[in-house]
Amino acid sequence: MDLLWSNIFRSNNDEESLVGFLERLPVFNELEKRDFKYLENMVHTRTYHAHETIFEKGDPGSGMYIIRSGKVLIFNRNIHDQEQEMAVLGSGELFGETALSSPAPRTFSARTAEATELIGMYRSDLLTTTSKHPAIACRILLGLAKLISDQSQRATIELTALQQRIIKQEQKQQPGTGSSQ
Amino acid sequence: MNISKAHFLLFYLTMTAAIASGLAIFSSATNITMLLQYAASGMFVPLLLALVTSFLLDPVVGSLEKRSIPRTRAIFTVFFCVTTLLFATASWVIPYAQNMWGSLLSDFPRYTEQFLNYVREAQSSWQARLPFLEHYDLSTAAQSNVKQMFSFLLVETPKSAFRLGSLMILVPIFSFFFLRDGNTFMRGLVALAPNRYFEMAHDLSFLISRQMATFVRGRIIEAVIVGAVITVGLHFTDIRYAPLLGLFAGITNLIPYVGPIIGMIPGILIAAVDLGLGGQFWWIVILYILIAQIILDNFILIPVLISRVANLHPLFVILAIVMGGKIYGVLGMIIGVPIASAIKIAFIEVRHYRRAFSLPETGTDRHA
């Protein structure tokens, strides 16, 4: 009897945790509580085996992926077709977000390192949302814009630091070369 | 190696069993497909009409949904409005249309008689000029054709009215579910794609369905406007059956190239019989050809409503009409071309997509 009741009132655990998972992501900070019900139907959950290619560099990019569980290897190939590992991403991290707002070929390759569950969010769904639920699309895009601007700011800071270092090295080298002449 | 009798028997038995089971599977498979075909035979037209209806109503539902009305409720609201509108027009139009239909049936022999007269005259003039055509009797063939058509009209009209009744139940139900769950169906279908191709499949399905919706909507609106303009234009003359002729012209306008010509035949025929070859006749000819087709359709409606890419080559149009007619008769002729255009749209989108990313051939020489 107890089992029966628990069966009837069993809420779908898997789906509930999907909403919960999405709510915890910083990208979707701007979204309101009831937006997540919509977001849940907007994203696509895909399961991957270990060592499965998600996309290759140069593939048409049309969306971003959020890692729900598992690990994803981000890499590039050099001239000799050797793989150069760029990053290993884990649960809660996302990649490919630049393709969400503008169609462009992928600039790196991604492959799963272990059995992985990914949540895909695609430009076409976002476009549909902008026409049907502009408010929700606005909040999603705001979060994305924040994420991307954070990234570009961090990149700028790193770039200036590197530039400074190069200038310092050059200055260090120049007195040496000057004295030898 | 020695093959004993037992081995041979075993081999023989296995082969027999294999062949028998193969035959059984084959026959049951054909049976099942035939059964499916039989079961689905009446469903094609309502499904197609429901699809077109849902394409037409989707923007209205979407605009309601934008005002944060739940989708199901928005669909119900739209359906209610459409039903009331249809009932209002029907109660206004039906007595008028019935009257017209009755008089058209009594007038029909007169028009065909005149038409046969024209054919006979034309034939005698041909035969005077080209004596070797003497044995070719066009007028008898035309006569039997016309008789067949008349009897077909008499028999099929009540039948099609009956079919219309079942359509009026099925189409709203189907289109309701298409409107409500169409996206879910598409999602489920696309989700079947393997991981590596899912992104592309998802993107393409979005692009194709968007293009298809614009195309279907454009075609229907174009047909409605052409039909309305012809009805209004015919009202300026003394011609009878102007609304019926406008309706016919609108429906046949769905078929490119060939449709408009078929659509203007009854109008010009009735004008020639009833009004003679006077000023009104030429006004009707001008209305059909110049105003409706060249100015309105070619210069205004097609560039505005339908993107040029969906224009089929005339050869494919003829093929689609002939093949559609083979499969589904007159209805097949009307829907054959839009289906061919839909296939073409899908092809064009796939090609665009591949060109935009110059893919997937680059996979092999990515390190070049």
Side-chain angles (χ1 to χ4, degrees):
Chain A
M1 201 65 194
D2 221 32
L3 195 75
L4 181 74
W5 282 114
S6 67
N7 249 322
I8 287 175
F9 289 109
R10 187 182 57 147
S11 56
N12 201 332
N13 240 337
D14 195 38
E15 275 181 35
E16 205 172 41
S17 66
L18 178 58
V19 171
F21 175 77
L22 290 172
E23 275 177 339
R24 270 185 281 118
L25 289 173
V27 204
F28 300 127
N29 261 346
E30 307 285 331
L31 267 79
E32 286 165 16
K33 197 85 181 165
R34 56 159 186 252
D35 295 346
F36 284 99
K37 199 75 205 153
Y38 178 83
L39 189 70
E40 187 192 357
N41 288 318
M42 187 183 140
V43 296
H44 302 254
T45 310
R46 308 285 300 175
T47 45
Y48 288 76
H49 299 296
H51 311 297
E52 198 178 342
T53 306
I54 301 166
F55 53 73
E56 286 278 354
K57 180 178 180 177
D59 276 5
S62 68
M64 73 170 188
Y65 291 93
I66 305 162
I67 303 165
R68 192 170 172 195
S69 64
K71 281 200 165 58
V72 171
L73 182 70
I74 304 288
F75 63 94
N76 236 328
R77 281 195 171 84
N78 64 10
I79 314 161
H80 310 294
D81 208 17
Q82 286 164 332
E83 292 176 9
Q84 288 178 322
E85 191 180 306
M86 289 159 69
V88 180
L89 303 178
S91 172
E93 288 184 287
L94 44 89
F95 57 96
E97 66 276 1
T98 42
L100 193 58
S101 47
S102 66
R106 299 282 187 194
T107 51
F108 52 84
S109 305
R111 191 195 314 126
T112 54
E114 52 189 70
T116 304
E117 200 174 0
L118 294 179
I119 296 169
M121 192 163 130
Y122 300 99
R123 189 171 55 248
S124 51
D125 293 321
L126 198 62
L127 282 177
T128 320
T129 315
T130 48
S131 66
K132 274 188 183 157
H133 301 279
I136 298 177
C138 243
R139 285 175 214 129
I140 294 172
L141 286 171
L142 212 61
L144 267 174
K146 204 189 251 172
L147 180 89
I148 292 174
S149 68
D150 272 0
Q151 280 176 355
S152 80
Q153 203 167 8
R154 225 179 307 141
T156 318
I157 291 169
E158 251 170 66
L159 203 65
T160 23
L162 281 175
Q163 273 174 340
Q164 299 274 309
R165 229 159 67 190
I166 289 171
I167 289 167
K168 260 182 206 162
Q169 268 184 354
E170 277 177 356
Q171 278 172 348
K172 238 187 249 169
Q173 277 175 2
Q174 257 170 4
T177 50
S179 67
S180 73
Q181 271 178 348
Chain B
M1 217 175 129
N2 55 338
I3 300 169
S4 67
K5 245 181 196 167
H7 274 124
F8 189 73
L9 195 67
L10 193 68
F11 176 74
Y12 178 75
L13 281 177
T14 327
M15 282 313 282
T16 318
I19 290 170
S21 56
L23 278 176
I25 290 169
F26 178 73
S27 79
S28 66
T30 44
N31 271 343
I32 287 169
T33 42
M34 261 165 63
L35 210 64
L36 278 178
Q37 216 168 15
Y38 175 69
S41 61
M43 286 295 102
F44 182 69
V45 177
L47 276 176
L48 200 84
L49 281 178
L51 206 64
V52 170
T53 319
S54 60
F55 273 143
L56 280 178
L57 293 182
D58 189 52
V60 189
V61 173
S63 70
L64 278 180
E65 220 184 343
K66 213 183 275 183
R67 301 198 172 82
S68 63
I69 298 169
R71 190 165 176 88
T72 312
R73 206 181 300 162
I75 296 169
F76 270 122
T77 318
V78 170
F79 266 45
F80 180 73
C81 293
V82 169
T83 317
T84 353
L85 211 72
L86 280 182
F87 261 112
T89 21
S91 61
W92 176 53
V93 161
I94 277 180
Y96 185 61
Q98 228 164 10
N99 226 346
M100 196 183 290
W101 186 246
S103 73
L104 181 68
L105 280 188
S106 62
D107 271 347
F108 198 76
R110 199 158 59 79
Y111 292 136
T112 54
E113 193 56 43
Q114 195 65 37
F115 174 67
L116 289 177
N117 272 342
Y118 285 138
V119 170
R120 226 168 277 141
E121 269 172 41
Q123 191 186 9
S124 57
S125 81
W126 287 340
Q127 280 173 349
R129 258 176 262 166
L130 306 165
F132 57 86
L133 283 176
E134 204 173 342
H135 297 290
Y136 185 72
D137 199 3
L138 184 68
S139 67
T140 326
Q143 202 161 9
S144 70
N145 265 340
V146 162
K147 276 213 180 99
Q148 260 179 14
M149 202 172 98
F150 186 52
S151 61
F152 176 80
L153 258 181
L154 277 181
V155 174
E156 285 296 313
T157 311
K159 241 193 221 174
S160 66
F162 180 71
R163 219 185 284 159
L164 205 69
S166 79
L167 280 186
M168 274 166 70
I169 298 167
L170 287 179
V171 170
I173 295 174
F174 285 161
S175 50
F176 172 78
F177 285 115
F178 280 155
L179 275 172
R180 205 186 65 143
D181 302 325
N183 277 336
T184 324
F185 291 157
M186 276 309 279
R187 265 176 75 107
L189 211 62
V190 172
L192 293 177
N195 277 334
R196 188 74 179 83
Y197 302 104
F198 175 73
E199 210 175 307
M200 203 192 304
H202 183 259
D203 235 27
L204 279 176
S205 84
F206 169 75
L207 291 172
I208 290 170
S209 62
R210 190 177 61 177
Q211 203 66 21
M212 210 86 89
T214 351
F215 173 74
V216 171
R217 236 173 272 150
R219 274 275 177 230
I220 299 283
I221 294 171
E222 180 201 355
V224 168
I225 293 176
V226 167
V229 165
I230 284 180
T231 311
V232 171
L234 289 179
H235 261 298
F236 290 128
T237 67
D238 295 331
I239 198 169
R240 298 158 78 190
Y241 316 120
L244 271 185
L245 291 173
L247 184 74
F248 187 69
I251 291 173
T252 51
N253 202 64
L254 290 172
I255 311 171
Y257 304 111
V258 189
I261 298 169
I262 297 171
M264 67 179 72
I265 286 173
I268 288 174
L269 188 70
I270 289 177
V273 173
D274 277 355
L275 307 171
L277 295 176
Q280 286 198 341
F281 174 78
W282 293 113
W283 157 248
I284 287 167
V285 171
I286 287 172
L287 171 78
Y288 266 114
I289 296 175
L290 194 69
I291 298 179
Q293 281 313 315
I294 296 176
I295 297 178
L296 185 72
D297 211 27
N298 273 354
F299 288 164
I300 303 172
L301 292 181
I302 289 181
V304 171
L305 291 173
I306 300 159
S307 53
R308 253 166 228 286
V309 287
N311 272 342
L312 281 178
H313 192 273
L315 182 69
F316 291 119
V317 170
I318 293 165
L319 272 179
I321 291 170
V322 171
M323 285 160 79
K326 268 258 162 65
I327 298 172
Y328 273 105
V330 181
L331 194 81
M333 290 184 181
I334 294 174
I335 59 184
V337 176
I339 288 175
S341 314
I343 294 169
K344 193 191 175 189
I345 286 171
F347 269 110
I348 285 173
E349 284 301 328
V350 171
R351 204 167 25 167
H352 263 302
Y353 191 78
R354 288 174 58 154
R355 196 182 297 153
F357 293 102
S358 65
L359 248 201
E361 286 84 12
T362 50
T364 48
D365 56 350
R366 74 176 91 74
H367 52 272

